[in-house]
């Protein structure tokens, strides 16, 4: 198997893990969730496992048992969050190879700040930054900012025309936000800084560009304040389960995280993603498709199942992604099979931190390596390159040279 | 008796005409390696804090991007969070605009930075009335002077309320009792004002400092009152001893009038330092640096900021021009703070100075814009810094130089040890948080006695 056939492996970090009872496990560190040390330790484990990237969850509202719902005032689950982008920035100098992909909403943020912040994360990490683009439909999050009113989206009304309109608008705004970010990343050509003593010019102003974006929710003039990042564009990712977010991914992203429920579902999900790409007329590289899976790992199948049952008895786990309680070896077989079914790789959501992250790094990864399905060392590349993506040229440089 | 301790910060030489990018020692203003070098140097010197300035649009002149000074800077929050990882004691101060940021997001980011750094975050609160900067943001336009201050005041009040919405003991994290939060009301807030009508639950636990340190710059009387009432420290541009002392006395009396102990607000002017082995050598070095800082083109541009019109035909080596300023015309230079409230008076003063001392325009500009307060040997500079603080002209300085990132090295290696020898500067960090190191009490809040607040998380 050649390197390009290797599956990509990401891990999604959230709180004490994705299982709501994870924080009560023996090795859990719930009192440290809001410290640098906790996140540094998790990133070190992920890097030890040679993983391609970590994502960091975020939101402008407290966690809730239903992520679409308002804060539920429960006190028996983890509540409270750090800003994911700043956690990623903290991790940049503490890691050297792993991709750092914070979740940043497009609904309540300023695209200009977000674009400069992600470009800076890419500078600070020497080409390892990504962005998990997220929208927020929650009414309580809108009230936190007070800038716009959102009706809120209820799970049971997802298919009503009114909800569909709201969701479509949020995703259109997200697409605009990514478009603005990409234009801002292009607004400085790579060699704009010239430091030319002879003419006393620090920059060549012909290589700085106004982007003059105008959309339904914001206008942005540009150029960026931060020079073009090392990757050209940080890696843009989207989690998607349905047609509207598939289209956002197809229009805007480099990588899409999807949630097939079993191996038979893989082909159909990939078909939906490719259909969305065709529908929006995507040009250039096709989306890299990673399957999301919640994983709880143990030495035997029975022990893993027992572990999940024990946690579920405290607080049941529900997920948009398939939940797998199994052994590292069986999981490796499954990942290889799903990879052969067409997925480029996986974003694993550890049920319990740090336990399942340790199992991924120290047991699952060696199993995958034995099967020839995963790298045995980091290659010396940027995050984009690791996904086989080229470094985009500035669109304005192209425009300039043809003018 | 223990001598009063000097506060020392360092600002990163970035986008301004003081930065001599053509100096062979001048490195990247973007690469994290530069920030890391600067931060490690400052921490080696046991300085109190690092300071980053702000600019949310590229400067332009006559409609074209201004290309002679350093252009471009990284995002402040991102750099400070990365620096939190590689430092352990030094304060991390960022200039963040209250006009183009929402309080909820500001509160989250500063609380996060304070948690990740173990209590070292500081916010230099600034406002913007620059319509051109607004072109990069959803708000689109800009706020008038009055609205701008009202927004700043409400932003600060709301942000503090958000920081207070989690009690110090809100995170119980008791595995056995299945109790993560103390109660279900953690984070609740509501605020209704002229600028903001918001409510809900804040996401981020109370940080080690409770409230990150608040810095402000106060110039106008209302700005000084605002800073005296709301800030922990004031960043000033008054550097010469007499003007520094006048500012210090004025602001401290405003602090007292606001019902606060004058010691609660620290005054910190910016100061560039130029060193030499002898006084003459330092003066020569300064003359050379300043000559490069205010080159002929820069002299014209700085004059244009007063005149608000194109002066490119004016001879920088000739007299200050007799042309009238046109302060009401569309802005000729955008993306920089205004230099003067009264262009006609400033132009007249420049002309007078030129006539009186027989100076060219460039020489007048050099005279006006000389920010090197301390030029001398390490010994004489330490003497001067000590004198300013001992004689009540300031509580300390935010020091800078004309090159990044190595411009701080000499100061830390040669001046700081002399201040330590005098017993006016620390040789080891004493406190855990920036507030501790600055001698600021933890913030009081309703229902909780004033006390040293131990982090819920660290």
């Amino acid at each position: 198997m050649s390197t390009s056939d290797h599956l990509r492996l990401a891990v999604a970090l959230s709180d004490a893990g994705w299982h709501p009872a994870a924080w009560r496990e023996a090795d859990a560190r719930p009192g440290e969730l809001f410290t640098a040390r906790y996140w540094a330790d998790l990133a070190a484990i992920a890097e030890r496992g040679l993983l391609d990237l970590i994502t960091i969850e975020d939101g402008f509202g407290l966690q809730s048992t239903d992520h679409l719902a308002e804060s539920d005032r429960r006190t028996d689950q983890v509540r409270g969050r750090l800003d994911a982008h700043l956690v990623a920035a903290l991790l940049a100098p503490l890691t050297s190879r792993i991709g750092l992909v914070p979740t940043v909403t497009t609904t309540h943020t300023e695209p200009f700040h977000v674009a400069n912040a992600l470009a800076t994360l890419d500078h600070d990490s020497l080409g390892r930054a990504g962005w998990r683009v997220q929208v927020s439909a929650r009414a309580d999050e809108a009230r936190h900012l007070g800038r716009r009113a959102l009706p809120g989206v209820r799970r049971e009304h997802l298919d009503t025309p009114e909800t569909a309109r709201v969701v479509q608008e949020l995703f259109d705004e997200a697409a605009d936000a990514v478009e603005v970010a990409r234009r801002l990343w292009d607004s400085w050509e790579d060699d704009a800084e010239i430091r030319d003593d002879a003419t006393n010019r620090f920059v060549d102003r012909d290589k700085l560009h106004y982007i003059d974006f105008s959309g339904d929710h914001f206008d942005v003039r540009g150029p960026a304040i931060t020079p073009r990042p090392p990757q050209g564009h940080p890696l843009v990712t989207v989690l998607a389960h349905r047609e509207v977010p598939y289209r956002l991914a197809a229009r805007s992203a480099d990588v899409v995280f999807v949630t097939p429920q079993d191996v038979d579902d893989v082909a159909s999900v990939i078909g939906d993603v490719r259909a969305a790409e065709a529908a929006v007329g995507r040009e250039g590289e096709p989306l890299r498709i990673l399957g999301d899976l919640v994983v709880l790992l143990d030495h035997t199948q029975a022990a893993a199942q027992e572990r999940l049952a024990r946690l579920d008895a405290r607080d049941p786990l529900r997920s948009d992604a398939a939940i797998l309680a199994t052994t590292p070896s069986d999981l490796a077989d499954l990942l290889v099979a799903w990879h052969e079914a067409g997925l480029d790789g996986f974003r694993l959501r550890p049920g319990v931190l740090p336990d399942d992250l340790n199992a991924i790094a120290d047991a699952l990864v060696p199993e995958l390596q034995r099967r020839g399905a995963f790298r045995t060392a980091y290659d010396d590349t940027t995050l984009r390159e690791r996904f086989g993506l080229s470094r985009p040229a500035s669109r304005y440089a192209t425009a300039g040279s043809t003018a | 008796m223990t001598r009063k301790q000097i506060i020392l910060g360092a600002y990163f030489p970035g986008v301004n005409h003081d930065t001599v990018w053509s100096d062979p020692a001048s490195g990247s203003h973007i690469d994290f390696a530069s920030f890391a070098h600067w931060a490690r140097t400052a921490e080696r010197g046991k300085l109190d804090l690092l300071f980053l300035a702000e600019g949310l649009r590229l400067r332009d002149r006559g409609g074209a991007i201004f290309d002679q000074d350093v252009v471009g800077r990284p995002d402040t929050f991102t750099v400070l969070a990365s620096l939190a990882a590689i430092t352990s004691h030094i304060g991390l101060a960022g200039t963040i605009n209250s006009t183009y940021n929402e309080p909820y997001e500001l509160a989250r980011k500063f609380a996060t930075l304070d948690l990740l750094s173990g209590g070292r975050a500081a916010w230099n609160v600034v406002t913007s009335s620059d319509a051109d900067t607004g072109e990069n943001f959803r708000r689109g336009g800009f706020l008038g002077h009055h609205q701008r201050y009202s927004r700043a005041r409400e932003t600060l009040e709301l942000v503090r309320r958000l920081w207070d919405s989690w009690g110090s003991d809100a995170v119980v994290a008791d595995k056995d009792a299945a109790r993560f939060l103390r109660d279900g009301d953690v984070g609740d807030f509501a605020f209704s004002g002229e600028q903001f009508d918001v409510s809900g639950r804040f996401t981020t636990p109370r940080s080690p400092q409770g409230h990150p340190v608040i810095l402000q710059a106060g110039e106008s009387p209302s700005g000084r009152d605002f800073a005296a009432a709301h800030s922990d420290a004031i960043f000033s541009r008054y550097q010469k001893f007499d003007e520094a002392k006048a500012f210090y006395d004025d602001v401290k009396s405003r602090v007292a009038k606001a019902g606060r102990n004058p010691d609660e607000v620290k005054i910190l002017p910016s100061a560039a330092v130029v060193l030499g082995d002898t006084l003459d050598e330092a003066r020569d070095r300064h003359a050379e640096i300043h000559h490069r800082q205010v080159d002929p083109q820069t002299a014209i541009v700085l004059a244009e900021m007063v005149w608000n019109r194109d002066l490119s035909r004016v001879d920088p080596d000739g007299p200050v021009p007799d042309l009238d300023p046109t302060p009401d015309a569309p802005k000729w230079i955008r993306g920089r703070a205004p230099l003067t409230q009264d262009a006609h008076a400033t132009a007249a003063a420049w002309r007078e100075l030129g006539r009186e001392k027989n100076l060219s325009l460039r020489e007048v500009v050099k005279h006006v814009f000389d920010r090197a307060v301390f030029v001398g040997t390490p010994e004489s500079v330490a003497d001067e810094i000590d004198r300013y603080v001992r004689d009540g002209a300031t509580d300390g300085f935010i020091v800078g130089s004309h090159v990044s990132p190595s411009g701080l090295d000499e100061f830390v290696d040669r001046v700081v040890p002399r201040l330590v020898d005098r017993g006016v500067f620390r040789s080891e960090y004493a406190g855990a948080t920036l507030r501790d190191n600055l001698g600021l009490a933890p913030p009081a809040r309703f229902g909780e006695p004033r006390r040293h607040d131990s982090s819920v998380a660290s």
Side-chain angles (χ1 to χ4, degrees):
Chain A
M1 210 180 250
S2 77
T3 305
S4 60
D5 294 331
H6 286 166
L7 59 82
R8 322 288 173 201
L9 202 55
V11 67
L13 300 181
S14 181
D15 304 330
W18 287 77
H19 198 291
W23 70 275
R24 297 177 61 193
E25 290 294 275
D27 289 338
R29 293 154 62 181
E32 290 181 44
L33 296 180
F34 312 109
T35 65
R37 189 175 48 217
Y38 179 73
W39 292 94
D41 287 351
L42 294 182
I45 299 169
E47 196 159 68
R48 185 175 81 213
L50 309 178
L51 303 183
D52 290 301
L53 62 86
I54 57 173
T55 62
I56 303 163
E57 297 301 303
D58 203 356
F60 270 16
L62 287 177
Q63 300 90 328
S64 182
T65 31
D66 175 352
H67 81 274
L68 285 175
E70 302 207 357
S71 127
D72 55 12
R73 302 205 171 267
R74 286 182 72 158
T75 58
D76 62 337
Q77 293 182 348
V78 170
R79 295 290 182 266
R81 280 189 155 125
L82 297 174
D83 180 274
H85 178 83
L86 294 191
V87 172
L90 173 96
L91 297 177
L94 299 177
T95 54
S96 57
R97 300 301 189 93
I98 199 159
L100 302 169
V101 184
T103 300
V104 181
T105 184
T106 57
T107 306
H108 302 297
T109 50
E110 292 284 356
F112 189 79
H113 288 317
V114 171
N116 287 309
L118 288 162
T120 303
L121 180 64
D122 206 42
H123 283 290
D124 289 2
S125 65
L126 304 176
R128 296 184 286 127
W131 176 12
R132 196 194 134 203
V133 177
Q134 189 178 47
V135 304
S136 165
R138 277 170 57 166
D140 62 336
E141 295 189 9
R143 283 196 300 272
H144 290 163
L145 283 292
R147 187 146 64 170
R148 70 208 279 186
L150 286 175
V153 169
R154 307 301 295 263
R155 191 166 299 283
E156 57 274 24
H157 298 149
L158 273 178
D159 293 315
T160 64
E162 171 61 14
T163 299
R165 191 190 58 74
V166 170
V167 168
Q168 185 66 56
E169 189 182 313
L170 293 171
F171 278 88
D172 284 346
E173 181 184 37
D176 281 356
V178 177
E179 172 66 13
V180 162
R182 290 190 188 271
R183 287 194 199 182
L184 287 169
W185 295 333
D186 285 346
S187 68
W188 287 62
E189 294 183 34
D190 288 316
D191 49 358
E193 185 179 313
I194 50 173
R195 296 191 183 226
D196 184 29
D197 253 334
T199 57
N200 196 24
R201 290 178 306 149
F202 181 81
V203 288
D204 178 350
R205 66 162 74 108
D206 293 336
K207 296 185 175 194
L208 300 176
H209 304 276
Y210 295 105
I211 68 164
D212 285 325
F213 177 88
S214 186
D216 290 338
H217 294 279
F218 47 79
D219 301 336
V220 176
R221 175 121 169 89
I225 54 167
T226 307
R228 201 154 197 267
Q231 295 184 94
H233 295 185
L235 188 79
V236 178
T237 73
V238 169
L239 168 66
H241 317 88
R242 294 174 145 238
E243 190 189 345
V244 171
Y246 285 154
R247 286 197 179 206
L248 171 67
R251 284 165 72 184
S252 305
D254 303 303
V255 173
V256 62
F257 304 129
V258 295
T259 51
Q261 298 300 307
D262 54 47
V263 69
D264 296 333
D265 201 17
V266 167
S268 120
V269 167
I270 293 171
D272 290 345
V273 170
R274 298 301 175 214
E277 288 180 328
V280 303
R282 181 183 176 95
E283 291 171 6
E285 297 273 5
L287 277 165
R288 305 300 191 252
I289 308 175
L290 303 193
D292 265 25
L293 295 166
V294 182
V295 297
L296 291 105
L297 299 171
D298 216 321
H299 297 295
T300 66
Q301 187 76 25
Q305 294 287 346
E306 223 169 88
R307 192 167 154 241
L308 176 59
R310 178 170 57 75
L311 286 156
D312 273 351
R314 285 190 153 163
D315 209 344
L317 166 65
R318 295 194 178 84
S319 180
D320 54 324
I323 300 165
L324 296 172
T326 186
T327 65
S329 170
D330 284 357
L331 179 59
D333 289 341
L334 181 142
L335 298 186
V336 169
W338 289 30
H339 179 49
E340 282 166 0
L343 290 174
D344 294 302
F346 301 89
R347 185 177 74 142
L348 302 180
R349 305 183 191 174
V352 175
L353 292 171
D355 301 0
D356 290 309
L357 181 59
N358 277 321
I360 290 167
D362 302 333
L364 173 67
V365 163
E367 290 284 352
L368 289 169
Q369 288 166 334
R370 265 196 286 284
R371 288 162 179 73
F374 194 63
R375 286 180 282 100
T376 51
Y378 276 114
D379 38 18
D380 195 14
T381 58
T382 66
L383 182 57
R384 289 186 72 82
E385 286 170 330
R386 205 171 288 153
F387 280 83
L389 296 164
S390 58
R391 184 177 189 278
S394 163
R395 72 190 70 190
Y396 303 104
T398 310
S401 63
T402 55
Chain B
M1 188 180 137
T2 313
R3 294 278 312 283
K4 182 181 169 186
Q5 294 293 297
I6 296 169
I7 294 167
L8 288 176
Y11 66 84
F12 189 81
V15 182
N16 59 56
H17 72 268
D18 297 326
T19 302
V20 181
W21 54 259
S22 57
D23 191 301
S26 174
S28 170
H29 295 85
I30 301 298
D31 291 351
F32 183 68
S34 289
F35 290 90
H37 175 98
W38 170 68
R40 287 181 172 127
T41 303
E43 194 158 82
R44 175 157 53 81
K46 320 293 179 201
L47 268 53
D48 290 276
L49 60 92
L50 301 170
F51 185 91
L52 294 183
E54 187 198 52
L56 293 174
R57 62 161 291 150
L58 303 189
R59 299 164 169 194
D60 70 43
R61 167 177 180 261
I65 287 167
F66 187 61
D67 55 6
Q68 290 167 16
D69 294 343
V70 170
V71 177
R73 61 173 96 229
D75 172 69
T76 294
F77 278 121
T78 310
V79 169
L80 293 181
S82 292
L83 288 177
I86 60 152
T87 56
S88 51
H89 291 95
I90 197 154
L92 305 166
T95 303
I96 299 288
N97 202 295
S98 65
T99 309
Y100 300 111
N101 288 280
E102 298 302 314
Y104 194 86
E105 198 177 5
L106 285 174
R108 283 194 88 213
K109 286 193 184 282
F110 275 111
T112 296
L113 184 63
D114 207 43
L115 283 156
L116 292 178
S117 65
R120 297 187 281 133
W123 174 18
N124 181 36
V125 185
V126 295
T127 64
S128 176
S129 60
D130 183 351
D132 305 309
T133 301
E135 291 179 346
N136 285 330
F137 298 99
R138 285 178 192 258
R139 192 162 286 275
F142 67 106
L143 298 168
H145 187 78
H146 170 73
Q147 269 208 311
R148 186 152 59 91
Y149 267 99
S150 136
R151 186 178 163 97
R153 188 169 30 76
E154 284 193 17
T155 296
L156 207 46
E157 192 180 335
L158 175 49
V159 164
R160 285 187 158 129
R161 193 170 297 187
L162 292 167
W163 287 335
D164 283 348
S165 67
W166 287 61
S168 317
D169 56 351
V171 176
V172 182
D174 183 338
K175 294 179 186 177
D176 296 332
R179 205 152 163 254
F180 187 79
L181 289 188
R182 190 191 62 225
D183 61 49
D185 296 336
V186 165
D188 275 345
F189 71 92
F191 182 94
S192 185
E194 280 174 44
Q195 303 281 339
F196 304 107
D197 186 4
V198 297
S199 61
R201 293 182 75 191
F202 189 48
T203 50
T204 310
R206 191 165 174 82
S207 72
Q209 295 187 104
H211 298 185
V213 171
I214 301 292
L215 289 111
Q216 281 175 266
E219 291 284 330
S220 64
S222 60
R224 290 183 189 197
D225 281 336
F226 183 65
H230 299 290
S231 72
D232 297 307
I234 294 175
F235 183 58
S236 122
R237 64 184 177 87
Y238 298 102
Q239 303 161 328
K240 307 239 156 51
F241 186 89
D242 291 343
E243 65 179 23
K245 173 115 180 94
F247 180 80
Y248 188 88
D249 291 343
D250 178 64
V251 170
K252 293 273 176 166
S253 78
R254 289 173 197 263
V255 174
K257 269 187 220 140
R260 306 174 69 191
N261 180 339
D263 277 349
E264 281 179 47
V265 181
K266 311 297 183 187
I267 313 286
L268 303 171
S270 68
V273 176
V274 180
L275 298 175
D277 289 335
T278 65
L279 213 49
D280 282 345
E281 188 191 315
R283 284 182 184 140
D284 288 349
R285 221 177 140 196
H286 168 246
E288 195 205 320
I289 292 165
H290 199 41
H291 194 68
R292 288 161 78 178
Q293 286 170 326
V294 187
D295 60 43
Q297 285 164 304
T298 301
I300 293 294
V301 170
L302 289 169
E304 286 177 341
M305 289 186 65
V306 174
W307 267 259
N308 192 40
R309 58 188 291 180
D310 185 359
L311 300 179
S312 52
R313 287 156 186 261
V314 169
D315 178 6
D317 296 318
V320 179
D322 270 331
L323 292 163
D324 278 334
T326 53
D328 299 326
K331 276 179 88 178
W332 172 249
I333 290 173
R334 296 184 293 181
R336 292 182 76 139
L339 280 183
T340 174
Q341 303 287 341
D342 185 342
H344 292 284
T346 303
W350 285 24
R351 280 189 208 107
E352 178 60 29
L353 181 66
R355 268 195 299 270
E356 193 183 299
K357 298 196 172 176
N358 195 25
L359 300 177
S360 69
L361 172 62
R362 184 181 177 195
E363 287 164 334
V364 167
V365 172
K366 283 174 69 176
H367 182 84
V368 172
F369 288 93
D370 187 357
R371 290 194 208 170
V373 197
F374 301 119
V375 177
T377 64
E379 195 65 36
S380 73
V381 167
D383 278 342
E384 274 295 278
I385 289 176
D386 190 11
R387 178 174 76 95
Y388 269 66
V389 175
R390 189 187 58 219
D391 293 352
T394 179
D395 293 308
F397 291 97
I398 313 275
V399 300
S401 88
H402 67 293
V403 288
S404 71
S406 59
L408 189 62
D409 298 12
E410 255 192 316
F411 179 79
V412 160
D413 292 335
R414 304 184 68 188
V415 179
V416 169
R418 289 173 161 83
L419 295 170
V420 174
D421 289 345
R422 283 168 167 72
V424 295
F425 194 68
R426 68 170 71 84
S427 55
E428 289 303 328
Y429 287 102
T433 68
L434 176 58
R435 274 183 189 281
D436 291 342
N437 285 323
L438 293 178
L440 296 166
R445 71 184 157 138
F446 185 77
E448 277 197 7
R450 179 172 280 234
R451 61 190 161 83
H452 277 271
D453 207 349
S454 64
S455 163
V456 293
S458 64

